[in-house]
């Protein structure tokens, strides 16, 4: 038992030490610089600075939001909306983001409003607007609560603690199910955005196939299949087809 | 026997191998030729022609190139291969089958079909096909199968419902039906189930299959509904041969003939809706409709709500029934609910009911009725617009039971809301960027996070298991005497032996007695036995009962016997022999403890 505890302590210490290596470069100074560029209306420089941070591996919803804003300011609706969609995955409840996305979509030629949805969102409606990562943290907390209550029940076998144990187990299972649903939703539904000014949606992979309909820059599509040069996309249940990959941002 | 069989098997395998390699090498050396053939050279628009391209001399070829023919559809129907050995001469071939479906009458030239193999082009013969119109149906020429398509009337208004009917008449057996109905220029809905019935046409009874669709044209103009095509296989039975008993089981007298049955195109004139008399809020509703209203509570307190239900039912483009927009001006605040819609088929008409519900909050106490709501549609039978109005409904608004002050606040709120509604939006802009640096934490899932999540989930489980083990152990030691004795037996016995070894020079008898006692006490504690008065034979039995190792049992018994013997003998080297006995006893105890 002592050996197990020793092993766990080592692992814990290692985990605590990891940030020292991971966070060796502080990106906050660069973000402040990029934000300053934006405030000074030097949008292209702001875009370069934000893109550089993303290229270095920084993933943050607010960063994508700011980058989206900078693109929209330069009237580049496609990349702007694409970055809003990316931000939406990380900060789904941010009201500024939703307002700006709605604003940008109204500026597009197709003017198709969009809302992230998944096949499970009807049944697991409470998972809407909560990320899988947030559910993971919640599940971890409930896991700690459940095992603490279970331990207390071992020491004090009273009806109260028996009820508490059942309740905490129920909450843990509920959170686990929500986590699975949220994870599935995040990974099953992928979106992409039209970056070209106009794109023809084809009935198959090939320029000589029938053009089903046309889409314009900034329209958000659901991505179904990725081929070498073509993407299978859909706009709604009855509007789907193939588009060349170079006209679309994922 | 087995050996002979094994040799025979090897011989057959070699023979087959040699035959096949020989055959393939011979086959490769064959002359390659391409031959095109059809099952018939003259056909009607209803018929299909079977085209076979036979490539002789090889079986490994790419598909041949068939020249395109305007007005003729070509469908691949797979391949078949053949291999023959006649008088040491081998012939291999592959046949590509196609189905030719004519769409226009005329003369067609099939081929020459080209096949490219090893950079060499092989050409087939060409075939001339003659496609004629199918025979007209008449009393003198009753066709075995034919179809017709019609619309309920040739001229209609935009959004007026028409009935498109397709009927297939047949008096032959058929299968593999594939219907192709192109109604893309119209909005269409199924009008009830497809029907099957019998009908006599020109004195001959036919099996009729009927499909009805409700059609709506959304734009004016002259339209032509293209011919409805039906692909099917007709079953043809020849007279069975009584001599062949297999016919009875395999029905080999039946063959199929592929046919494409076409209807005539249907012409339609769609008229625009007249501009004259068009109501102001007309919403392209065409048909015949009724409107009715009902009110939930007819007496309400000021500030309370009542529900106005408005039902529109009728025949026509019911799906397009618009949501009425009651203009109650300053009398009510209106909150519309999601409308309910259901539709059904009434004879040959599409009928439906749309129900709209509105929650109404009176804006002042003087309100005493719900004004009538206008509703308009175009009646294609009377060829005029009809404007309906609901009845005005009486409503009594009572003063609120709440205090006057509360009423005043409520009233103010309504006024504020109204004022807000009148604010004119002058422009829209993006919301600003986020600048709080604390928001920009990296959200990537890193190895550190994964490790922390793993620990977060596993650590409570390990801690629980460790505590549970300790708590259970403590409880067992407290309540289970046998477990308590067994668990402490080794420690107590070892301690006693060590204490005994420290005592200087006890005499042999006492020493042997003490060691024997300690050992028997240990065994008693370990096996939860009462007392310590066991003989070595009894110890052997007890240890065997508990499935101890036979060798350990023997060593233990031998040690006990040695202790007993020591009690009755004198030894000169007392000190060293006692220490040896102690060591031996500790070894035995350790071994028994391990085995327990």
């Amino acid at each position: 038992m002592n050996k197990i505890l020793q092993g766990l302590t080592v692992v814990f210490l290692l985990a605590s030490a990891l940030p020292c290596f991971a966070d060796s470069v502080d990106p906050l100074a660069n973000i402040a610089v990029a934000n300053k560029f934006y405030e000074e209306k030097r949008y292209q420089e702001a875009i370069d600075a934000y893109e550089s941070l993303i290229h270095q591996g920084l993933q943050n919803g607010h960063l994508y939001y700011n980058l989206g804003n900078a693109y929209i300011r330069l009237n580049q609706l496609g990349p702007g909306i694409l970055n809003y969609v990316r931000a939406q995955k990380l900060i789904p409840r941010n009201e500024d983001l939703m307002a700006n996305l709605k604003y940008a979509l109204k500026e597009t030629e197709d003017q198709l409003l969009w809302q992230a949805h998944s096949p499970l969102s009807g049944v697991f409606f409470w998972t809407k607007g909560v990320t899988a990562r947030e559910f993971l943290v919640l599940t971890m907390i409930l896991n700690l609560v459940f095992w603490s209550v279970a331990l207390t029940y071992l020491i004090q076998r009273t009806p109260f603690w028996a009820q508490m144990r059942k309740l905490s187990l129920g909450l843990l299972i509920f959170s686990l199910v929500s986590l699975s649903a949220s994870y599935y939703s995040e990974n099953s539904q992928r979106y992409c955005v039209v970056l070209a000014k106009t794109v023809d949606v084809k009935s198959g992979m090939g320029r000589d196939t029938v053009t089903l309909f046309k889409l314009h820059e900034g329209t958000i599509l659901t991505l179904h299949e990725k081929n070498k040069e073509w993407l299978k996309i859909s706009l709604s249940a009855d509007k789907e087809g193939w588009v060349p990959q170079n006209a679309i941002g994922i | 026997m087995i050996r002979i069989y094994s040799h025979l098997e090897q011989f057959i395998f070699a023979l087959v191998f040699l035959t096949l390699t020989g055959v393939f090498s011979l086959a490769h050396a064959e002359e390659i030729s391409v031959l095109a053939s059809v099952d018939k050279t003259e056909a009607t628009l209803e018929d299909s022609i079977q085209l076979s391209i036979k490539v002789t001399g090889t079986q490994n070829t790419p598909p041949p190139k068939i020249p395109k023919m305007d007005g003729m559809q070509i469908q691949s129907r797979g391949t078949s291969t053949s291999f023959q050995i006649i008088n040491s001469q081998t012939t291999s071939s592959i046949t590509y089958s196609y189905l030719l479906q004519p769409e226009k009458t005329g003369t067609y030239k099939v081929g020459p079909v080209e096949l490219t193999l090893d950079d060499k082009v092989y050409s087939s013969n060409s075939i001339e096909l003659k496609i004629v119109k199918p025979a007209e149906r008449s009393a003198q020429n009753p066709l075995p199968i034919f179809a017709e398509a019609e619309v309920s009337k040739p001229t209609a208004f935009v959004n007026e419902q028409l009935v498109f009917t397709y009927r297939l008449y047949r008096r032959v057996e058929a299968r593999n039906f594939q219907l192709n109905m192109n109604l893309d220029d119209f909005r269409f809905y199924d009008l009830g189930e497809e029907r099957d019935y019998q009908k006599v046409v020109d004195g001959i009874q036919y099996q009729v299959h009927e499909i009805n669709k409700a059609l709506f044209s959304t734009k004016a103009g002259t339209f032509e509904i293209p011919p409805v095509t039906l692909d099917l296989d007709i079953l043809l039975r020849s007279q069975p041969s009584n001599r062949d008993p297999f016919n009875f089981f395999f029905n080999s007298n039946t063959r199929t003939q592929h046919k494409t049955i076409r209807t005539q195109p249907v012409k339609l004139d769609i008229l625009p809706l007249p501009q004259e008399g068009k109501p102001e809020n007309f919403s392209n509703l065409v048909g015949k409709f009724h409107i009715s209203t009902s009110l939930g509570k007819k007496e309400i307190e000021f500030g309370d709500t009542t529900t106005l239900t408005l039902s529109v039912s009728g025949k026509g483009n019911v799906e397009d029934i618009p949501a009425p927009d009651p203009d109650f001006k300053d009398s009510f605040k209106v909150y519309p609910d999601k409308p309910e819609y259901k539709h059904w088929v009434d004879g040959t008409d599409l009928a439906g009911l749309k129900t709209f519900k509105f929650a109404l909050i009176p804006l002042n106490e003087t309100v005493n009725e719900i004004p009538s709501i206008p509703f308009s549609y175009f009646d294609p039978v009377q060829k005029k617009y009809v404007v309906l109005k609901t009845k005005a409904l009486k409503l009594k608004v009572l003063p609120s039971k709440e205090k006057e002050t509360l009423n005043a606040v409520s009233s103010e709120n309504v006024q504020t809301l109204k004022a807000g509604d009148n604010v004119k939006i002058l422009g829209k802009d993006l919301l600003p960027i986020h600048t709080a640096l604390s928001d920009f934490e990296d959200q990537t899932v890193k190895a550190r996070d994964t490790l922390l999540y793993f620990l977060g989930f596993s650590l409570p489980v390990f801690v629980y298991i460790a505590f549970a083990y300790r708590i259970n152990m403590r409880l067992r030691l407290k309540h289970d005497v046998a477990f308590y004795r067994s668990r402490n037996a080794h420690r107590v016995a070892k301690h006693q032996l060590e204490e005994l070894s420290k005592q200087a020079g006890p005499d042999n008898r006492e020493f042997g007695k003490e060691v024997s006692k300690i050992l028997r006490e240990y065994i008693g504690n370990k096996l939860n036995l009462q007392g310590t008065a066991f003989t070595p034979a009894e110890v052997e039995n007890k240890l065997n009962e508990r499935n101890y190792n036979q060798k350990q049992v023997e060593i233990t018994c031998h040690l006990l016997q040695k202790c007993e013997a020591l009690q009755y003998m004198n030894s000169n080297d007392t000190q060293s022999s006692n220490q040896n006995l102690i060591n031996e006893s500790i070894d035995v105890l350790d071994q028994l403890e391990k085995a327990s």
Side-chain angles (χ1 to χ4, degrees):
Chain A
M1 183 59 67
N2 283 338
K3 279 183 183 172
I4 294 169
L5 285 173
Q6 278 171 11
L8 286 173
T9 314
V10 170
V11 171
F12 186 75
L13 288 172
L14 266 173
S16 316
L18 271 173
C20 304
F21 305 105
D23 300 337
S24 55
V25 180
D26 181 17
L28 295 182
N30 293 340
I31 289 168
V33 171
N35 289 350
K36 197 162 176 281
F37 283 142
Y38 184 93
E39 301 291 356
E40 289 168 0
K41 299 190 178 177
R42 291 156 69 186
Y43 299 122
Q44 190 55 54
E45 285 162 88
I47 287 171
D48 294 342
Y50 290 134
E51 290 279 18
S52 158
L53 283 161
I54 290 166
H55 189 69
Q56 285 167 31
L58 180 63
Q59 291 279 306
N60 181 281
H62 300 278
L63 180 63
Y64 282 122
Y65 166 83
N66 286 4
L67 177 59
N69 267 20
Y71 273 119
I72 299 289
R73 287 286 180 215
L74 287 182
N75 210 23
Q76 295 181 26
L77 288 172
I81 290 170
L82 176 63
N83 281 291
Y84 285 151
V85 171
R86 285 172 179 164
Q88 204 272 342
K89 263 193 148 182
L90 298 165
I91 45 170
R93 298 183 301 279
N94 192 285
E95 287 176 2
D96 289 1
L97 170 65
M98 295 322 290
N100 280 6
L101 178 58
K102 203 172 166 185
Y103 169 86
L105 287 172
K106 279 194 174 171
E107 294 292 307
T108 61
E109 202 167 332
D110 295 328
Q111 295 205 346
L112 294 168
L113 290 181
W114 170 82
Q115 204 171 21
H117 65 276
S118 91
L120 295 179
S121 57
V123 183
F124 297 92
F125 58 90
W126 62 91
T127 59
K128 203 176 162 187
V130 186
T131 63
R133 197 173 181 172
E134 286 166 335
F135 270 119
L136 185 64
V137 174
L138 176 70
T139 309
M140 206 165 70
I141 294 166
L142 288 173
N143 180 57
L144 182 67
V145 169
F146 166 70
W147 290 107
S148 305
V149 170
L151 195 62
T152 314
Y153 178 70
L154 274 184
I155 300 161
Q156 289 189 17
R157 287 177 186 266
T158 60
F160 171 75
W161 285 111
Q163 288 297 325
M164 288 301 288
R165 193 175 61 150
K166 280 181 197 166
L167 179 69
S168 55
L169 179 64
L171 287 172
L172 177 62
I173 292 169
F174 175 77
S175 182
L176 267 171
V177 171
S178 306
L179 169 65
S180 312
S182 182
Y183 182 80
Y184 173 79
S185 299
E186 277 184 16
N187 290 284
S188 65
Q189 211 71 356
R190 293 180 67 198
Y191 300 100
C192 54
V193 177
V194 178
L195 296 183
K197 289 288 169 207
T198 313
V199 65
D200 291 344
V201 182
K202 298 282 187 178
S203 61
M205 286 182 285
R207 295 196 185 275
D208 53 346
T209 54
V210 176
T211 302
L212 300 173
F213 50 97
K214 277 181 188 291
L215 291 172
H216 300 89
E217 187 184 7
T219 301
I220 305 174
L221 311 163
T222 305
L223 177 64
H224 295 286
E225 213 177 305
K226 210 172 158 186
N227 205 279
K228 204 175 175 184
E229 289 176 0
W230 292 85
L231 301 174
K232 190 180 182 188
I233 55 92
S234 73
L235 202 58
S236 57
D238 60 338
K239 281 195 178 64
E240 64 171 36
W242 293 86
V243 286
Q245 210 176 117
N246 55 14
I248 302 292
I250 303 167
Chain B
M1 187 67 187
I2 291 167
R3 210 172 158 184
I4 293 167
Y5 178 77
S6 172
H7 281 298
L8 188 67
E9 196 179 45
Q10 282 173 12
F11 173 73
I12 290 168
F13 179 76
L15 191 69
V16 169
F17 179 76
L18 287 170
T19 311
L20 283 176
T21 37
V23 157
F24 278 126
S25 57
L26 283 170
H28 201 69
E30 270 182 72
E31 191 72 23
I32 293 172
S33 63
V34 184
L35 179 73
S37 61
V38 288
D39 62 340
K40 48 184 167 282
T41 53
E42 196 171 320
T44 69
L45 281 173
E46 287 183 349
D47 296 325
S48 300
I49 300 156
Q50 190 85 34
L51 168 68
S52 302
I53 310 295
K54 187 176 181 183
V55 183
T56 313
T58 180
Q59 289 186 335
N60 188 18
T61 68
K65 279 181 196 164
I66 299 170
K68 276 189 179 174
M69 288 174 277
D70 275 343
M72 184 77 81
Q73 270 192 16
I74 305 168
Q75 284 179 17
S76 174
R77 285 291 168 111
T79 58
S80 61
T81 54
S82 153
F83 183 79
Q84 288 180 321
I85 305 174
I86 302 165
N87 297 333
S88 312
Q89 291 292 313
T90 60
T91 318
S92 64
S93 67
I94 181 164
T95 305
Y96 293 89
S97 300
Y98 299 89
L99 197 70
L100 305 182
Q101 287 181 295
E103 289 172 329
K104 288 180 196 165
T105 54
T107 307
Y108 295 85
K109 191 182 170 194
V110 182
V113 174
E114 287 187 347
L115 175 82
T116 310
L117 189 66
D118 297 333
D119 298 330
K120 214 172 159 188
V121 180
Y122 300 90
S123 296
S124 76
N125 54 318
S126 56
I127 303 165
E128 201 160 272
L129 298 177
K130 195 177 174 191
I131 307 298
V132 294
K133 277 189 177 176
E136 292 284 326
R137 185 179 60 82
S138 64
Q140 288 73 36
N141 182 23
L143 297 175
I145 187 163
F146 65 95
E148 65 179 24
E150 62 180 27
V151 282
S152 49
K153 54 184 187 177
T155 309
F157 285 101
V158 168
N159 277 332
E160 182 183 349
Q161 190 213 303
L162 292 165
V163 181
F164 176 76
T165 307
Y166 173 81
R167 288 189 202 94
L168 173 72
Y169 294 80
R170 66 185 169 94
R171 52 188 176 88
V172 285
E173 263 188 271
R175 63 186 178 198
N176 301 334
F177 296 93
Q178 204 175 345
L179 187 69
N180 183 13
M181 198 182 278
N182 183 0
L183 299 171
D184 289 351
D185 285 339
F186 303 90
R187 278 168 63 191
F188 61 94
Y189 304 87
D190 288 337
L191 214 51
E193 299 281 313
E194 295 178 9
R195 291 197 305 142
D196 285 298
Y197 55 89
Q198 309 270 338
K199 191 177 176 184
V200 176
V201 181
D202 295 334
I204 292 171
Q205 192 173 44
Y206 284 91
Q207 176 74 28
V208 185
H209 185 77
E210 186 179 303
I211 301 170
N212 288 303
K213 303 265 180 194
L215 281 194
F216 297 93
S217 174
T218 51
K219 52 190 175 189
T222 304
F223 295 91
E224 186 179 275
I225 300 173
V228 179
T229 60
L230 176 74
D231 285 289
L232 48 80
D233 292 327
I234 295 176
L235 292 181
L236 301 170
R237 293 178 198 279
S238 54
Q239 282 296 319
S241 163
N242 292 331
R243 287 180 190 173
D244 190 352
F246 287 98
N247 279 345
F248 181 76
F249 298 103
F250 299 108
N251 202 17
S252 60
N253 292 310
T254 307
R255 61 185 181 87
T256 59
Q257 186 187 3
H258 188 86
K259 281 257 181 195
T260 306
I261 309 293
R262 286 183 179 79
T263 62
Q264 293 296 319
V266 181
K267 282 195 174 162
L268 262 179
D269 274 331
I270 303 296
L271 307 172
L273 293 174
Q275 288 300 318
E276 193 190 339
K278 195 182 226 179
E280 199 181 327
N281 295 325
F282 178 69
S283 59
N284 292 325
L285 204 59
V286 178
K288 196 159 181 63
F289 298 89
H290 307 280
I291 185 165
S292 63
T293 49
S294 64
L295 196 61
K297 287 187 277 183
K298 293 179 178 66
E299 255 186 41
I300 54 167
E301 285 179 21
F302 178 59
D304 207 351
T305 60
T306 184
T307 306
L308 173 69
T309 307
L310 204 146
S311 304
V312 183
S313 61
K315 294 175 181 176
N317 53 339
V318 281
E319 205 179 56
D320 296 340
I321 297 173
D325 186 16
D327 180 17
F328 293 152
K329 291 176 185 166
D330 297 334
S331 49
F332 292 100
K333 183 85 188 167
V334 182
Y335 295 98
D337 199 356
K338 197 179 167 189
E340 287 172 16
Y341 168 65
K342 52 185 175 180
H343 64 96
W344 59 91
V345 175
D346 184 355
T348 55
D349 294 317
L350 205 63
L353 167 69
K354 229 173 187 179
T355 308
F356 304 90
K357 287 188 177 177
F358 303 91
L360 304 180
I361 304 174
L363 294 176
N364 54 63
E365 289 177 28
T366 57
V367 172
N368 56 12
E369 72 164 18
I370 290 167
S372 66
I373 300 166
F375 176 81
S376 60
Y377 66 90
F378 180 77
D379 187 338
V381 180
Q382 296 179 34
K383 295 182 182 170
K384 66 173 189 183
Y385 293 96
V386 179
V387 179
L388 301 175
K389 276 190 172 183
T390 61
K391 278 183 184 174
L393 299 166
K394 293 284 174 202
L395 177 72
K396 196 171 181 184
V397 180
L398 304 168
S400 172
K401 284 176 185 167
E402 300 291 327
K403 287 177 186 174
E404 282 299 315
T405 47
L406 275 177
N407 278 338
V409 172
S410 169
S411 173
E412 261 178 31
N413 282 345
V414 172
Q415 289 303 321
T416 315
L417 268 174
K418 279 189 69 61
D421 290 345
N422 290 332
V423 171
K424 197 175 177 184
I425 305 296
L426 298 173
K428 281 185 177 179
D429 196 11
L430 282 180
L431 292 171
I433 55 165
H434 295 165
T435 51
L437 291 179
S438 57
D439 288 342
F440 288 86
E441 194 194 333
D442 193 1
Q443 290 175 292
T444 322
V445 179
K446 299 191 207 74
R448 173 191 56 164
D449 300 326
T450 314
L451 202 59
L452 284 173
Y453 291 141
F454 172 74
L455 287 177
F457 280 101
S458 57
L459 211 58
V461 183
F462 283 123
V463 171
Y464 175 82
I465 291 168
F467 272 91
Y469 177 77
R470 280 191 73 81
I471 289 165
N472 273 339
M473 193 61 77
R474 202 177 288 174
L475 281 171
R476 205 170 165 198
L477 286 172
K478 201 173 171 182
H479 300 295
D480 188 345
V481 178
F483 180 71
Y484 180 82
R485 286 180 69 190
S486 170
R487 195 166 166 79
N488 288 323
H490 183 255
R491 187 173 51 81
V492 170
K494 214 169 169 181
H495 178 71
Q496 284 175 341
L497 284 172
E498 281 164 5
E499 287 296 315
L500 190 63
S501 73
K502 286 176 192 168
Q503 291 171 15
D507 67 36
N508 275 354
R509 292 179 184 179
E510 275 304 308
F511 190 80
K513 199 176 168 185
E514 279 300 313
V515 173
S516 175
K517 190 186 163 199
I518 291 167
L519 284 172
R520 278 184 280 117
E521 259 181 19
Y522 169 78
I523 291 162
N525 284 337
K526 204 74 207 168
L527 305 182
N528 194 27
L529 304 172
Q530 293 298 320
T532 55
F534 333 112
T535 62
E538 283 172 334
V539 167
E540 188 177 359
N541 282 338
K542 295 285 180 194
L543 289 175
N544 280 332
E545 276 173 22
R546 302 292 174 99
N547 295 325
Y548 274 81
N549 185 297
Q550 190 58 40
K551 201 177 170 189
Q552 284 171 350
V553 175
E554 279 172 16
I555 291 169
T556 310
C557 291
H558 176 72
L559 184 63
L560 283 172
Q561 281 164 358
K562 201 173 172 181
C563 290
E564 278 180 17
L566 206 63
Q567 294 173 39
Y568 305 105
M569 62 187 280
N570 288 320
S571 173
N572 297 328
D573 189 9
T574 315
Q575 191 66 40
S576 64
S577 65
N578 285 357
Q579 192 55 48
N580 285 342
L581 189 64
I582 292 278
N583 291 342
E584 199 179 334
S585 302
I586 288 172
D587 280 349
V588 169
L589 285 181
D590 287 344
Q591 281 182 34
L592 287 174
E593 189 65 22
K594 264 187 192 172
S596 68

